[in-house]
Amino acid sequence: MKKYHLFHWLTAIMLIIFLAGCQSGQSSNEPKKGDTPEQVKVYTVKDDTGKEVSFKKAPETVISLQPSNTEILFAIGAGDKVIGATEYDNYPEQASKIERVSDSVTINTEKIIALKPDIVIAYTIGDENALKPIEDAGIPVFVIQSASSFEDVYGDIQQISEVMGVKEKGEELITNIRTHINDIENKLKNIEKPKRVYFEISPSPDIYSTGKNTFQQEILQTAGVENIFGNQEGWIKVSEETVIKLNPEIIATTVDYIEGPVAEIKARKGWETIEAIKKDRVYQLDSDIMSRPGPRIAEAVELVAKMAYPEYFK
């Protein structure tokens, strides 16, 4: 999951067409002139808990409980339908103006119920019991599992675009992301030896990095760099001595909640011997882009690739 400071990391869309039962070829959920209510077809979309959520028409009002899903909604042209979001929803800029209904960990169920959305797009990490009062109030809840890979992101986009009745826009978005990533990979195809990178997501004294089977690891791999902790699993608490011993060529940090994170890394005792420090190759990367499994994953790959191999992007 995305990291809003370390603690939030760890705990914390088919032009309006029918989905299931869409064989008739109709391109709208709205009844045509002369249709009776019985002729308006219901479509269903399965969420990540296996539950099928049914819709008589595309939702007009949505509450999103995860910033990456909010970004997906905006990217497929449904951002104007979002009436509730989390405190960390800040992209695109319009998202910052949406009513806050969660801090990404605690959900304000009373406010959500009062807003009466057509659908709540939730996620699987957190207190699942918090969603029950919302469902008991008759508000549909569609659960998205937090993505841990690019394929998961594409799946999220597909699901959300189907929920919102804009499946074709979701497919177009996925194609554009894949194309962007392919373009980056083509620029890097002649790299002979990957740069060795230490990726820090939490600073001293409790230093954390990322290992295999994480979203960030796929970003690093796709950008053509070698994660010095890539042989370890998940989120890893690391020691300063280990980083010194592994001697990375580049250090990247997404820490943005302390003053001067790059300077703090450079000033650590004993780290002056690390090649990345000696060659002044310590960089701060945008935490939101690097941590949100959403439509900006290609931008994340490009950030890392440009950091490590600027000569290929001139």
Side-chain angles (χ1 to χ4, degrees):
M1 185 181 174
K2 45 221 69 60
K3 171 176 178 285
Y4 304 108
H5 312 335
L6 175 62
F7 307 104
H8 288 287
W9 273 64
L10 298 175
T11 56
I13 5 177
M14 159 168 108
L15 300 165
I16 303 177
I17 66 175
F18 301 121
L19 296 176
C22 185
Q23 288 82 0
S24 66
Q26 265 184 245
S27 60
S28 172
N29 290 326
E30 296 299 321
K32 289 185 175 181
K33 196 169 184 178
D35 279 351
T36 64
E38 289 75 21
Q39 291 172 296
V40 179
K41 295 184 179 179
V42 173
Y43 65 91
T44 62
V45 186
K46 184 180 291 187
D47 75 3
D48 286 341
T49 68
K51 177 181 63 179
E52 290 190 342
V53 183
S54 298
F55 302 88
K56 292 181 180 179
K57 64 177 182 178
E60 291 296 326
T61 55
V62 185
I63 283 178
S64 173
L65 298 178
Q66 192 169 26
S68 56
N69 291 336
T70 302
E71 290 196 19
I72 290 173
L73 287 161
F74 274 91
I76 60 173
D80 60 333
K81 301 181 186 297
V82 183
I83 60 171
T86 81
E87 292 180 7
Y88 296 94
D89 290 55
N90 55 9
Y91 186 88
E93 186 178 353
Q94 304 96 295
S96 299
K97 302 176 177 65
I98 299 171
E99 182 81 14
R100 274 29 190 159
V101 297
S102 171
D103 62 4
S104 284
V105 176
T106 304
I107 301 170
N108 189 329
T109 55
E110 292 83 2
K111 184 176 288 188
I112 291 173
I113 293 170
L115 287 170
K116 299 179 180 179
D118 292 335
I119 189 72
V120 172
I121 299 180
Y123 62 100
T124 56
I125 295 178
D127 183 6
E128 295 182 13
N129 291 328
L131 300 174
K132 190 175 186 302
I134 299 171
E135 294 178 305
D136 289 345
I139 299 172
V141 174
F142 191 91
V143 178
I144 295 283
Q145 184 173 6
S146 296
S148 59
S149 70
F150 290 1
E151 286 301 322
D152 287 347
V153 175
Y154 301 142
D156 292 351
I157 293 171
Q158 181 180 14
Q159 285 174 294
I160 293 174
S161 65
E162 289 178 357
V163 166
M164 299 308 297
V166 288
K167 182 178 180 180
E168 291 179 5
K169 289 186 178 180
E171 292 172 347
E172 180 182 3
L173 176 59
I174 292 169
T175 297
N176 291 340
I177 295 170
R178 289 185 186 275
T179 299
H180 189 174
I181 290 175
N182 286 337
D183 288 344
I184 297 167
E185 291 178 318
N186 285 333
K187 285 184 171 69
L188 304 173
K189 62 184 179 182
N190 293 323
I191 292 173
E192 296 181 0
K193 186 178 180 182
K195 291 286 185 10
R196 299 176 66 255
V197 175
Y198 164 57
F199 183 73
E200 184 167 291
I201 60 176
S202 177
S204 180
D206 295 316
I207 304 178
Y208 276 81
S209 185
T210 186
K212 60 185 177 180
N213 296 324
T214 65
F215 174 69
Q216 281 71 24
Q217 172 67 3
E218 188 165 4
I219 293 173
L220 297 173
Q221 287 181 325
T222 308
V225 301
E226 178 186 344
N227 177 7
I228 65 170
F229 290 108
N231 62 334
Q232 297 191 41
E233 183 84 22
W235 309 108
I236 314 147
K237 186 172 184 178
V238 303
S239 69
E240 296 194 22
E241 293 77 14
T242 302
V243 177
I244 294 170
K245 181 179 179 180
L246 292 174
N247 192 27
E249 300 170 79
I250 299 172
I251 295 175
T253 178
T254 55
V255 174
D256 58 4
Y257 52 93
I258 66 170
E259 185 176 349
V262 169
E264 188 272 327
I265 289 172
K266 290 179 178 180
R268 291 175 188 168
K269 186 176 180 181
W271 285 45
E272 68 274 3
T273 63
I274 296 176
E275 185 173 351
I277 305 287
K278 292 193 291 186
K279 293 187 176 180
D280 196 26
R281 299 207 69 182
V282 183
Y283 307 94
Q284 182 178 20
L285 301 180
D286 187 292
S287 177
D288 292 341
I289 294 176
M290 290 298 298
S291 65
R292 292 181 184 174
R296 291 192 287 172
I297 54 175
E299 292 181 45
V301 173
E302 189 166 13
L303 275 178
V304 176
K306 284 183 174 180
M307 171 194 73
Y309 311 105
E311 65 274 18
Y312 289 96
F313 294 87
K314 291 180 180 178

